[in-house]
Amino acid sequence: MSSQFLAFPDDFVWGAATSAYQIEGAWDEGGKGESIWDRFAHTPGSILDGSTGDVACDHYHRWSGDVALMKELGLKAYRFSVSWPRILPSGRGKVNQAGLDFYSRLVDGLLEAGIEPFPTLYHWDLPQSLQNEGGWASRSTAEAFAEYADIVSRHLGDRVKHWITHNEPWTVTVMGHQNGSHAPGLRDYPTALKVSHHLLLSHGWAVPVLRRNSPGAEIGIALVLFPLVPGPSNTGVLPVFRKFDGYFNRWFLDPLYGRRYPADVVADHIEAGHLPPDGLTFVEPGDLEAIAAPTDFLGVNYYCPVILRSEVPLESENEPLILLYPGPEYEYTNMGMMVYPDGLRQLLNRVHFEYQPGKIYITENGASYSDGPDRDGRVQDQRRLKFLRDHLASAHRAIECGVPLAGYFVWSLMDNFEWNFGYAQRFGIVWVDYGTQQRIPKDSGLWYKQVIAENGFAMPG
Ligand code: FCB
């Protein structure tokens, strides 16, 4: 069998990603306040396997071993998130020094190991006390976020050179406030739209704060984006394409890149009664300019495409989810996501040509497969290895087309608490035994280590 070696650019950033609530545990230790995910997971019926992130991967206590593991894998960068209620237990006001110290030690440990820290400021664990005041539906939460960004960047800004403000505002909007499967568990479309605006606004307000406190650092936001792919039939899908591209992608990309909210989507929401007849009443003068603050990179999280099916009724409340899980004719991960590597190339090209971010990082990409240790303790996760290889090959094609792709972060460094699915879904390139907290690099992790060492890989031809 012939094979082709796919070489990546010399300074390509090979990384892995996690988030605070999914790995840290120590939910009420070290002065940390309660987050909306603590509250949500502690509410019976919210999490499929009844679990919580109380202990998770115990990373709060094991971070130093985890950094050693990253070094062993040869990672060049690590994307983690800062837990807002660890820094500000009540969301604003009194700072918890122990929380700042934790992340400060982590950043130092990473730098000592030659690993570039890529902190994300908001990966969904809002302080519960801010939720009690209305959460992201309230404009004051965006103000509190700018304050929080100021505190974190004043302490870490001398060492951190890459900041990500938010992770996936789409998910917070839709899962958290429209269909209620994530914290805070609301099901209210008008609120969800307001939330999306305040998330973007808080990003826009944080950018100049980060620039001031962390001179020379690169700043971006991580969006989950979806390529839209025609299903078995192309007939009649054009209006569906416009609509879902608007909901999933343009609603966030357009305002971030100075194009305001897409007028067609605003009109849809007015027609559906999600917005009043006069439209975006929560947008105040100056907001759109703030949201469009220039950034240095766009973070793209890619998992699966949206398959367009004209037969799905446009007005169905659950339509996005129906579209995400399109039927038996494709290959799926354990979480039911369709495997579609070419979607990554399509997405990167589209974002590059249409919005022209100066740089793009794939801030998340990965797959849930449950393969565990065999009798010899080896984790042979061939499907994940193939998933990562095929997606990296797709990313490589995008680079060849001129896309300024600067790095790739696999989701995830290790198995962890997968939100409303609990521990049943495993995304790690490292296996975690939750009983003993032992970590075992899976075959995919060992393969990734080799990819990093060789700055590329041979694609079986
Ligand atoms: C993304 C989230 C990440 C993880 C993956 C599987 O939407 O950003 O925390 O749960 O999905």
Side-chain angles (χ1 to χ4, degrees), residues 19 22 123-124 167-168 171 301 303 364 411 418-419 427:
S19 87
Q22 294 179 278
H123 204 127
W124 310 350
N167 181 65
E168 300 190 353
T171 313
N301 293 1
Y303 288 95
E364 285 181 29
W411 184 272
E418 180 46 37
W419 308 112
F427 276 86

Side-chain angles (χ1 to χ4, degrees), residues 121-278:
L121 289 173
Y122 188 71
H123 204 127
W124 310 350
D125 44 357
L126 187 75
Q128 180 63 39
S129 52
L130 292 182
Q131 188 62 43
N132 298 344
E133 298 169 17
W136 286 109
S138 159
R139 208 175 154 89
S140 59
T141 295
E143 288 159 9
F145 181 78
E147 211 179 297
Y148 157 62
D150 182 42
I151 292 161
V152 176
S153 57
R154 267 195 282 121
H155 282 80
L156 306 181
D158 53 337
R159 288 156 289 159
V160 165
K161 298 293 166 222
H162 300 84
W163 293 94
I164 296 167
T165 53
H166 277 276
N167 181 65
E168 300 190 353
W170 177 86
T171 313
V172 176
T173 302
V174 173
M175 314 285 249
H177 298 84
Q178 183 189 322
N179 71 35
S181 56
H182 281 191
L186 300 183
R187 291 166 198 247
D188 179 356
Y189 220 132
T191 299
L193 291 172
K194 213 189 278 180
V195 163
S196 68
H197 178 63
H198 292 148
L199 289 165
L200 290 176
L201 185 60
S202 72
H203 155 83
W205 283 345
V207 171
V209 171
L210 296 171
R211 291 226 186 278
R212 189 181 63 225
N213 294 340
S214 195
E218 290 188 343
I219 302 166
I221 185 169
L223 300 181
V224 62
L225 296 172
F226 301 87
L228 284 89
V229 177
S233 150
N234 276 331
T235 324
V237 296
L238 257 186
V240 189
F241 179 93
R242 179 200 62 73
K243 181 169 172 172
F244 288 105
D245 188 47
Y247 286 19
F248 286 107
N249 301 321
R250 288 185 287 123
W251 188 257
F252 298 93
L253 283 165
D254 279 11
L256 286 169
Y257 287 91
R259 300 180 183 186
R260 320 173 75 85
Y261 288 101
D264 61 314
V265 184
V266 174
D268 283 352
H269 286 315
I270 293 174
E271 199 188 317
H274 304 147
L275 286 174
D278 45 350

Side-chain angles (χ1 to χ4, degrees), residues 272-355:
H274 304 147
L275 286 174
D278 45 350
L280 300 167
T281 47
F282 43 77
V283 177
E284 297 189 7
D287 285 6
L288 293 169
E289 291 73 13
I291 291 173
T295 47
D296 304 293
F297 65 87
L298 177 68
V300 172
N301 293 1
Y302 173 62
Y303 288 95
C304 61
V306 170
I307 307 298
L308 300 172
R309 295 162 80 98
S310 56
E311 67 270 32
V312 176
L314 271 174
E315 58 285 352
S316 149
E317 263 306 305
N318 283 322
E319 54 204 347
L321 294 180
I322 292 170
L323 289 165
L324 281 171
Y325 303 105
E329 62 271 33
Y330 303 96
E331 198 187 318
Y332 294 87
T333 67
N334 280 1
M335 209 156 107
M337 290 179 180
M338 180 182 153
V339 178
Y340 187 63
D342 194 53
L344 185 54
R345 182 192 62 85
Q346 295 171 18
L347 204 56
L348 292 171
N349 277 329
R350 188 250 173 119
V351 167
H352 170 52
F353 286 118
E354 231 173 288
Y355 298 95

